[in-house]
């Protein structure tokens, strides 16, 4: 097995714990005995955003851009029975592993489509989703074509009014990608915020930032309270703070040249 092939490792500290790695990079952590368990901090942030926007146990129609070990579809099915998850995953080997070693076949309401998520989203009907989770990575990078204004317009198209787009990102100083992606979301959604450790928002450390976008306002104060009570405390920037944080950044486009007009 080459290092680039995806593989599943056991967690010696947790009997049901499984880590999916791709090219040596951790992609998903799943507890086969506890589908509601979210190990990675960023998955907890995604869950916090979902839970602040949608009523407890409300079933959701979700689209997942990037499937990995299917942690979030599993969490959604466990915490919101009756939910459906359409997963768009590029790598057929990941999908095969998820079935063979991570019990994908037992996740209720799950559909997995193998292929590039940009094409997968383009094939979805208008207003079919309450929630789109953006979590596609090549190594530690969001693929460029899944970050542009054109792709985000497709996400907006498949979301129903009041729907939520939550996007996981990883970046490092000087945060050009994160700032540009926030500017990109700002061109398409009325309300855009970001959740990350306070040190990252202070531009003092690298890591994950979870972007939260909707055409309906989000309870940013409630979200901040929710993320602060986790073991690894995070901070939230609401729309005004986010606009200041990415001031001057250019939205990303397929042509990567045009500024399409944002408040950033
Ligand atoms: C971090 S994992 C996703 C974890 C997942 N959200 C979960 O709940 O476990 C990232 C996944 O994105 C996939 N990916 C990368 N590029 C992609 C693309 N263009 N389209 C669809 N999936 C892609 C990778 O193969 C990898 O499985």
């Amino acid at each position: 097995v080459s290092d680039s092939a995806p593989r599943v490792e056991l967690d010696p500290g947790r009997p049901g714990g499984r880590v999916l790695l791709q090219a040596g990079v951790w992609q998903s952590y799943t507890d086969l005995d506890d589908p509601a368990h979210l190990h990675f901090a960023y998955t907890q942030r995604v869950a916090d955003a979902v839970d602040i926007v949608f009523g407890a146990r409300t079933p959701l129609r979700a689209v997942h851009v990037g499937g990995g070990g299917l942690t979030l579809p599993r969490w959604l099915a466990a915490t919101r029975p009756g939910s459906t998850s359409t997963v768009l995953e590029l790598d057929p080997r990941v999908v095969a592993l998820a079935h063979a070693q991570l019990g994908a076949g037992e996740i209720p309401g799950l559909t997995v489509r193998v292929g590039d998520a940009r094409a997968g989203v383009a094939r979805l009907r208008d207003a079919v989703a309450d929630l789109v989770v953006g979590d596609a990575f090549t190594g530690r990078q969001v693929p460029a074509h899944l970050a542009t204004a054109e792709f985000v317009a497709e996400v907006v198209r498949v979301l129903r009014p009041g729907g939520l787009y939550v996007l996981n990102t990883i970046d490092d100083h000087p945060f050009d990608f994160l700032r540009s992606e926030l500017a990109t979301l700002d061109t398409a959604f009325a309300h855009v915020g970001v959740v990350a450790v306070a040190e990252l928002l202070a531009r003092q450390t690298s890591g994950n930032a979870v972007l939260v976008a909707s055409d309906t306002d989000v309870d940013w104060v409630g979200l901040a309270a929710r993320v602060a009570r986790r073991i690894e405390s995070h901070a939230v920037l609401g729309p005004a703070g986010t606009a200041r944080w990415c001031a001057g950044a250019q939205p990303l486009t397929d042509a990567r040249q045009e500024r399409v007009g944002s408040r950033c």
Side-chain angles (χ1 to χ4, degrees):
V1 180
S2 78
D3 189 45
S4 66
R7 65 178 197 277
V8 171
E9 288 186 356
L10 306 188
D11 177 358
R14 218 177 152 100
R18 300 286 183 277
V19 182
L20 172 80
L21 297 98
Q22 255 177 327
V25 178
W26 288 34
Q27 296 287 340
S28 296
Y29 185 108
T30 288
D31 187 335
L32 299 180
D33 301 330
D34 181 2
H37 175 72
L38 298 174
H39 192 80
F40 292 160
Y42 91 83
T43 55
Q44 297 174 9
R45 302 293 87 78
V46 172
D48 288 336
V50 170
D51 287 343
I52 206 79
V53 168
F54 301 105
R57 295 183 74 80
T58 305
L60 300 178
R61 293 164 298 166
V63 172
H64 301 259
V65 175
L70 305 172
T71 310
L72 289 165
R74 190 179 272 104
W75 167 80
L76 209 55
T79 60
R80 296 173 177 274
S83 294
T84 59
S85 283
T86 300
V87 170
L88 309 171
E89 168 57 48
L90 181 64
D91 190 339
R93 300 169 305 173
V94 166
V95 176
L97 264 184
H99 276 91
Q101 297 190 40
L102 301 175
E106 288 148 37
I107 301 174
L110 177 73
T111 305
V112 180
R113 296 185 186 159
V114 179
D116 175 58
R118 176 108 181 215
V121 168
R123 278 194 287 272
L124 295 172
R125 283 181 289 114
D126 294 359
V128 287
D130 304 299
L131 169 69
V132 175
V133 177
D135 194 17
F137 278 84
T138 305
R140 296 180 197 283
Q141 283 184 325
V142 178
H145 68 300
L146 301 180
T148 63
E150 290 85 347
F151 177 70
V152 172
E154 281 292 284
V155 170
V156 170
R157 183 184 64 74
V158 303
L159 279 173
R160 62 139 172 98
L164 177 68
Y165 183 37
V166 188
L167 173 65
N168 180 32
T169 63
I170 298 178
D171 206 3
D172 198 354
H173 201 271
F175 298 102
D176 287 342
F177 171 73
L178 177 54
R179 293 173 64 251
S180 298
E181 186 59 11
L182 284 167
T184 309
L185 295 189
D186 194 55
T187 64
F189 291 95
H191 305 276
V192 177
V194 56
V195 187
V197 289
E199 294 78 13
L200 186 146
L201 296 176
R203 301 171 209 258
Q204 288 163 357
T205 191
S206 58
N208 293 81
V210 170
L211 282 50
V212 178
S214 179
D215 62 3
T216 302
D217 203 6
V218 171
D219 175 6
W220 302 104
V221 174
L223 181 58
R226 194 175 275 261
V227 302
R229 64 172 201 232
R230 299 277 195 180
I231 291 172
E232 192 189 342
S233 172
H234 280 50
V236 174
L237 289 180
T242 297
R244 281 194 297 277
W245 203 83
C246 63
Q250 309 282 315
L252 301 165
T253 67
D254 285 349
R256 296 187 154 273
Q257 60 207 12
E258 248 176 49
R259 187 181 168 89
V260 280
S262 87
R263 292 188 294 273
C264 290

